[in-house]
Amino acid sequence: MTPSAALEKSSPIIPNSQGVTRELKRRSRKPVSCEPCRHSKLRCDRRLPCATCLRRGWQDSCAYGATRTESIRPPHRRRGRPTTAVQAVPQPQQAQLIESSESASPRSQSPEPIHHRWDNILSRPPLGKNAPILTTTIPFTLSFGPIGPTPELLALLPPDNVCEYLVSRYFAHLCPLFHILHGPTFQKQYSAFLQDRQRVDLSWLALLFAICSLTLKTTEPNDSALTELWQTPSSPKDLPSMSQQCRNAAMMALSQDHFLVRHNLNTLEAILVLVHTISDSEGAEYGWVLLGNALNIGIALRCHSSPAELNCIERERRRRCWAGILILHTYQALLFRDTDLSFLCNMKFTMPAEVNDNDILEDEIIQSPSHVASVQLTQMSLMRFQIGLFQLSTQICNHISGPDRLSEELLTHFDSAVLAEQQRWDSVYLVHGARSIIDTASYAHWCLLQTFAHQLYLLLHRPFHNSRSTQFRPESRDRCVKSSLALMNIHREFYELPRLKSYRWLVNGSISCNALHGAVALTSCLLDMPNDSDFTEHIPVIDATVLRLEKLRTNSPACASVYPILRHLRSRLSRQDPAPSPSRETAESKFDDWVTSIDWFRPEDIDWDFWNGDYSTLLSDDHQTAVF
């Protein structure tokens, strides 16, 4: 049967009393599938918009306006048969029917051009909270750790008054160090949470737990605002345990939310706060895998591309998250030589706006004039400086691993680049070249940036600092000594200065690792100096660092690893031969080779056999070295 015959059969023609034939119209049926699914011959779940249109990005075209009979054109004239039925219909009505059919449902037109549909097929499918849940016999899940009902998770939160105190303290002292959150947005989310706790988004609840965990870790145990916390029977009785409980609860909330499969911006923000806490308080190596998850989630959420269809707040939230990912990778690049971050540098992204949170509105971002913004600090200044450091540190790390690592021309170039960054920081953070007495936060931020700069100096000048090398430059050895002393002095200030007590928690992680880097470089420089050199100015600096780490060694895995290494270094420096001898040259050469070949941040892999022999014992011959 031909198509035209089928149409004739489906619409029978009967004569009327006047002898004029008329077409018997069948009752119109509601379409079973929406227009895009019907044209593409895909299954439709009859919702508006349907799951298929949501998955393929056709939600704007999803409609059920046309019926089956409206989309059927009038039958073609059949050869050899009378055409009275067609002729009986007035011509204007026929034209109106055809026009209505073509405008409502053109048979040859797809919901969108074919190349767009191809692009949609190749694009990453949405996995956010609003993505359709596909009904399958075996749903895909990927859990991470234990899960529990939402009421059980809510019961792990500190009391309301304590929780609000922890959140306010976080935004006052801790968030400026890693400003990825938009304060007004979090305030709005927190208010909604207080109104209906049972309908809380689990990824946002994970973010709240992560904030509480970090703030508890950085709060003094005798803080009077925590009195209600100790009165809760189910709460741990010490802050480290309470902080760990909140961190575990954050991971439980993420796991219950299936964050490895379905995620949104709250998911990414929670993970970044957790990784930042781990890196700065326990050691960057412990957050490496979780940071990899954050990177891939950031790519999936298009944080590096900032989709234009989003409002200003959502775009800036994404840009801040991407900036946080880059900054956390900077820790990895400076501490470990096995991380090449060139691929991140090559990815195009837009810097977050250098404005305060209240300047970001849904429809606009209020920015200061360029001449004012260059000298005015904002909540985003530190993060933007750190992004510049990420780009510079990636270039330097690639340089020192490449064939031109001994090029003095490139050394001068990168040295000048680091110095230029320091001058920019000085211009906005210091007051006439001196630290600010009024603005403690600015001075803390300046110190943190200086730790990056001095680590870069050590990496750049290391190949040139040794006098036995053909590339020896005395100024490089002097540069290494100055940067080493600066790193250990920053460690001392964060540990001792009362005005920096809100930032003292940093010495439990990255700051102590930086001090170790300085101690290793200083030891190498001192052992390379002539026999008549005076070490009395520098030895007390290492001694004081060892004593601080002795008190900190139970605070974190990083401090526990750094402390024995510093003890060995101090013991080695205490051994001085009364006169030059070949054995001393051999020992110094062996020490330098040993320092060059080890990873100071994996002490369990260090070959401690170097310390065996006549210079290996931790006790000094002259009994001047303290026994730790």
Side-chain angles (χ1 to χ4, degrees), residues 146-157 197-198 200 202 205 209 249 252-253 255-257:
I147 61 175
T150 301
E152 292 184 8
L153 286 173
L154 293 174
L156 296 175
L157 280 173
R197 297 170 186 263
Q198 298 303 321
V200 63
L202 287 175
L205 183 61
F209 273 119
M252 290 172 62
S255 176
Q256 186 166 330
D257 202 39

Side-chain angles (χ1 to χ4, degrees), residues 365-565:
I365 298 177
I366 305 173
Q367 293 184 322
S368 302
S370 58
H371 66 278
V372 177
S374 61
V375 295
Q376 183 180 13
L377 284 174
T378 68
Q379 292 173 314
M380 291 301 298
S381 296
L382 176 62
M383 178 164 276
R384 287 176 64 93
F385 283 138
Q386 289 174 322
I387 294 175
L389 272 175
F390 163 76
Q391 296 169 331
L392 179 58
S393 63
T394 302
Q395 297 174 19
I396 290 177
C397 289
N398 289 338
H399 159 68
I400 63 177
S401 302
D404 296 328
R405 61 189 297 265
L406 300 179
S407 168
E408 295 194 19
E409 180 180 355
L410 290 177
L411 171 66
T412 303
H413 165 73
F414 286 119
D415 218 38
S416 300
V418 177
L419 179 60
E421 290 293 319
Q422 288 181 299
Q423 292 172 345
R424 290 179 59 201
W425 308 334
D426 293 349
S427 66
V428 296
Y429 285 115
L430 300 184
V431 180
H432 304 298
R435 64 187 182 185
S436 172
I437 301 299
I438 300 174
D439 190 354
T440 299
S442 293
Y443 181 62
H445 296 176
W446 180 84
C447 289
L448 290 174
L449 291 171
Q450 292 298 328
T451 61
F452 288 104
H454 290 297
Q455 286 203 87
L456 292 176
Y457 280 133
L458 293 180
L459 293 176
L460 282 170
H461 289 272
R462 177 176 174 176
F464 305 93
H465 83 285
N466 195 296
S467 62
R468 291 186 298 276
S469 170
T470 56
Q471 307 296 328
F472 173 64
R473 300 172 74 249
E475 54 269 29
S476 288
R477 184 167 65 187
D478 294 340
R479 176 72 265 177
C480 287
V481 171
K482 291 178 181 178
S483 291
S484 299
L485 294 174
L487 288 173
M488 286 184 281
N489 184 60
I490 291 173
H491 184 275
R492 179 191 63 80
E493 292 192 344
F494 275 112
Y495 181 84
E496 294 180 355
L497 291 185
R499 64 187 301 228
L500 294 179
K501 67 177 183 179
S502 297
Y503 307 94
R504 189 168 295 160
W505 62 281
L506 292 170
V507 300
N508 294 329
S510 58
I511 298 296
S512 287
C513 293
N514 296 336
L516 172 62
H517 192 184
V520 171
L522 182 59
T523 302
S524 182
C525 290
L526 295 182
L527 291 177
D528 183 58
M529 290 182 179
N531 297 325
D532 57 352
S533 299
D534 185 9
F535 293 174
T536 56
E537 180 184 356
H538 307 312
I539 293 296
V541 178
I542 296 182
D543 286 343
T545 305
V546 173
L547 291 174
R548 290 195 299 272
L549 263 299
E550 182 185 19
K551 298 175 182 177
L552 293 170
R553 59 179 173 172
T554 59
N555 287 15
S556 69
C559 292
S561 300
V562 167
Y563 172 64
I565 301 175

Side-chain angles (χ1 to χ4, degrees), residues 57-72:
W58 298 347
Q59 54 266 32
D60 293 338
S61 304
C62 187
Y64 298 84
T67 62
R68 286 174 182 255
T69 57
E70 288 173 338
S71 63
I72 299 176

